[in-house]
Amino acid sequence: MTDKNIRIGELARLTGTKVPTIRYYEQIGLMPEPLRTASNQRVYGEAQVQRLRFIRRCRALGFSIEQICELVELSSETERPCEEVDILTRRHLDEVEAKIADLSALAQDLRALSQRCQGGGLISCCGVLDGLNKSV
Amino acid sequence: MTDKNIRIGELARLTGTKVPTIRYYEQIGLMPEPLRTASNQRVYGEAQVQRLRFIRRCRALGFSIEQICELVELSSETERPCEEVDILTRRHLDEVEAKIADLSALAQDLRALSQRCQGGGLISCCGVLDGLNKSV
DNA sequence: ATAACCCCTCTAGTTACTTGAGGGGCAAGG
DNA sequence: CCTTGCCCCTCAAGTAACTAGAGGGGTTAT
């Protein structure tokens, strides 16, 4: 594999990304537009492989596309204080933790609801549906 | 307030739902089509208020629209065993708990990443970005 | 008449992809 | 040469659950 001779299919395999997703990332500007062959096929190099890997790691960590755009931009400004990266990461962690709290409360409510099921009854006296119908 | 004389705005206020959302629910068949006035305005009754409240409680508990459709249908078949309601609720609880587990693992990874930040440095030697760039 | 408020339909946007239609190019095999 | 299999391309629309906005009508009070 030499530099600058990777087709989109191979890039997809190298990075665990789907081909349409790569095109999507290019469309929204997250991935730079690559050079093309005479027959209009995209050609990628090692730097673009690394970029896409970066993006996929961020996605795996739940960063939004917008946040990733910011991280990509920040990472190219090497003389800049890295405080903004820190802030962005912490804010995202806070969001994830808040979501966990929401879901945990929701799970609690669902458990309470589920326990209302006596088993073996009919819809007409179903504890779950009763709970969902109640105007508490 | 008499039966069958509630306009959509009032229904929205009674149930904490947005007007467009009520129209959306009607469009997808979750809410039955109401009667209309001579000037084509929707008119709701108490049964529909209860239906929308049911839907909103289910949404609050994270049930998908599809799941709610099933619950609505099941609740009208009063002579049917309520086992299906139980199964649907438990399955949903499992999904929520799986999501919590996913997010918790993700939060763990984010904490580890965040701790790589030494503070006061530059982007060129940022621990977070380093971690995102690493091909571990 | 105007302002304030309510209602209507229709269309398109949000987020991060994903799918499918319709088409071209290339290499190997019959 | 034709066919097959595989890869690539663009474009448009779908997914889930809403939400926002354009453009219009109706009612009441000032």
Side-chain angles (χ1 to χ4, degrees), chain B residues 7-65:
Chain B
R7 296 298 152 85
I8 194 167
E10 191 170 352
L11 179 62
R13 282 183 291 271
L14 287 172
T15 57
T17 315
K18 294 191 172 174
V19 167
T21 306
I22 299 175
R23 293 199 194 102
Y24 168 66
Y25 288 160
E26 178 189 321
Q27 181 196 333
I28 62 176
L30 193 52
M31 278 289 283
E33 289 198 23
L35 296 178
R36 302 275 187 135
T37 64
S39 55
N40 202 32
Q41 300 188 359
R42 294 167 173 81
V43 183
Y44 299 96
E46 189 58 34
Q48 284 139 330
V49 176
Q50 296 306 318
R51 166 69 85 84
L52 187 53
R53 281 196 171 126
F54 180 91
I55 292 164
R56 300 306 288 175
R57 281 188 205 102
C58 293
R59 285 296 300 129
L61 287 170
F63 286 102
S64 69
I65 296 285

Side-chain angles (χ1 to χ4, degrees), chain A residues 42-62:
Chain A
R42 294 168 172 80
V43 184
Y44 298 96
E46 189 58 34
Q48 285 139 329
V49 176
Q50 296 307 319
R51 165 71 82 87
L52 187 53
R53 281 196 171 128
F54 180 91
I55 291 164
R56 301 306 288 173
R57 281 188 206 104
C58 293
R59 287 295 302 124
L61 287 170

Side-chain angles (χ1 to χ4, degrees), chain B residues 97-124:
Chain B
E97 282 171 341
K99 185 67 190 174
I100 291 170
D102 284 347
L103 285 174
S104 298
L106 196 156
Q108 196 88 316
D109 291 343
L110 277 169
R111 268 179 226 113
L113 183 69
S114 191
Q115 276 163 4
R116 299 185 62 150
C117 183
Q118 310 285 17
L122 295 180
I123 294 280
S124 49

Side-chain angles (χ1 to χ4, degrees), chain A residues 46-119:
Chain A
E46 189 58 34
Q48 285 139 329
V49 176
Q50 296 307 319
R51 165 71 82 87
L52 187 53
R53 281 196 171 128
F54 180 91
I55 291 164
R56 301 306 288 173
R57 281 188 206 104
C58 293
R59 287 295 302 124
L61 287 170
F63 287 102
S64 68
I65 296 286
E66 187 178 345
Q67 288 169 329
I68 299 172
C69 281
E70 289 178 42
L71 286 170
V72 165
E73 199 167 308
L74 286 172
S75 69
S76 67
E77 303 174 352
T78 52
E79 303 309 319
R80 194 167 172 150
C82 72
E83 186 181 25
E84 287 175 52
V85 173
D86 184 34
I87 289 172
L88 198 152
T89 308
R90 287 181 190 282
R91 195 185 298 139
H92 177 50
L93 177 56
D94 289 345
E95 286 162 4
V96 172
E97 281 170 342
K99 185 68 191 175
I100 290 170
D102 284 348
L103 284 174
S104 298
L106 195 155
Q108 196 88 315
D109 292 342
L110 277 169
R111 265 176 228 116
L113 183 68
S114 191
Q115 276 163 3
R116 297 186 64 151
C117 183
Q118 311 283 20

